[in-house]
Amino acid sequence: MSQADLLAQDPVFQLKGSMLAITVMELAHNDLDRLDAQLTEKVAQAPAFFSNTPLVLALDKLPEGEGELNLAELMAVCRRHGLRTLAIRASREGDIAAAEAMDLPVLPPSGARERLLDPAPKKVEEKPAEPEHKPSRIVTSPVRGGQQIYAQGGDLIVLAPVSAGAELLADGNIHVYAPMRGRALAGIKGNTKARIFCQQMGAEMLSIAGHYKVAEDLRRDPLWGDAVHVSLSGDVLNITRL
């Protein structure tokens, strides 16, 4: 066999599955001015969370009576706030046609059944190496407003108060054994099993694997100000008493 034949058989690509934390924005109304204003408020609460965030625009919940949607302008509004549209989820013919004209992928509507199309024979793949788990990062001094602390590859443990405007990030769990008034983002690389524990919940935002609640939602929770344990069930954050 010649060198050219060997080179022709050498694969130049691989198809791999991946679990990524992608934010889904479900649009309830076709009102881009109001969307722009409300996104401005959300970004002010958690600017780091909205920096180059991959986004799926879910348009399948838009009522038929809302009129034709300007998809290009909608994407421009999202882009101004750091949200990068990867695809849309749609059922209306006009929205699907607009996406196809922009060469934008269209996902099935929410709840639709999907099946994997793989014409090639299945091959048993070797088990991938377990991800490296780094030791927990422990912080003993107060975390001031404007500070950002990241525990890469492991848990973050804070033994002092976290002020408003501060931001805690971890690939694993976040523990705060003091009043928590800033933002806590656990499982930021898509770990849906990550948890958040805090001794006194007064947070501006709590997030696990891209699913989050902000202060206006948290203040309505009956456990506001108490010691809580936060976990993720599906795409819903569950807050329970410690």
Side-chain angles (χ1 to χ4, degrees):
M1 184 176 294
S2 68
Q3 185 175 359
D5 292 333
L6 290 172
L7 188 61
Q9 293 179 6
D10 185 26
V12 296
F13 73 93
Q14 288 182 325
L15 296 176
K16 294 185 176 182
S18 177
M19 292 292 291
L20 300 175
I22 298 179
T23 298
V24 176
M25 177 191 289
E26 286 192 350
L27 212 61
H29 298 288
N30 183 9
D31 188 336
L32 300 188
D33 290 335
R34 262 204 302 160
L35 174 66
D36 193 18
Q38 292 177 9
L39 274 176
T40 300
E41 295 178 4
K42 292 288 187 185
V43 173
Q45 294 170 349
F49 184 78
F50 287 89
S51 177
N52 289 318
T53 299
L55 179 73
V56 170
L57 281 172
L59 311 179
D60 50 327
K61 301 297 176 64
L62 272 176
E64 288 290 341
E66 289 283 332
E68 184 177 351
L69 176 72
N70 188 331
L71 181 58
E73 181 58 28
L74 170 59
M75 292 173 59
V77 170
C78 294
R79 189 163 53 249
R80 286 199 297 271
H81 295 287
L83 299 169
R84 308 296 180 181
T85 304
L86 301 181
I88 72 164
R89 201 176 71 196
S91 55
R92 303 193 310 176
E93 291 184 2
D95 298 332
I96 295 173
E100 289 176 345
M102 300 171 64
D103 200 24
L104 191 68
V106 179
L107 304 180
S110 178
R113 296 182 64 87
E114 301 176 43
R115 59 192 179 95
L116 178 65
L117 297 178
D118 186 4
K122 293 184 177 180
K123 179 182 178 181
V124 178
E125 296 183 0
E126 294 183 6
K127 184 178 178 182
E130 293 293 326
E132 180 185 358
H133 185 80
K134 296 184 178 180
S136 299
R137 180 174 180 179
I138 300 176
V139 177
T140 58
S141 56
V143 185
R144 307 296 183 188
Q147 280 187 275
Q148 184 185 78
I149 297 178
Y150 174 35
Q152 184 178 12
D155 295 352
L156 177 60
I157 301 174
V158 181
L159 305 176
V162 180
S163 299
E167 190 168 69
L168 308 179
L169 303 99
D171 293 340
N173 306 308
I174 294 178
H175 305 254
V176 181
Y177 297 104
M180 170 63 201
R181 297 187 179 89
R183 298 181 288 272
L185 294 80
I188 64 171
K189 291 185 178 177
N191 180 6
T192 58
K193 302 297 184 183
R195 308 292 178 97
I196 299 174
F197 306 86
C198 58
Q199 193 174 61
Q200 183 180 324
M201 181 180 71
E204 296 171 320
M205 184 180 78
L206 298 177
S207 169
I208 297 177
H211 302 275
Y212 61 91
K213 287 187 177 182
V214 294
E216 59 188 89
D217 304 314
L218 297 171
R219 287 194 186 96
R220 291 193 290 265
D221 195 285
L223 296 179
W224 176 260
D226 292 346
V228 299
H229 162 219
V230 186
S231 59
L232 185 63
S233 177
D235 58 358
V236 178
L237 288 187
N238 290 326
I239 302 176
T240 56
R241 189 184 304 276
L242 270 179

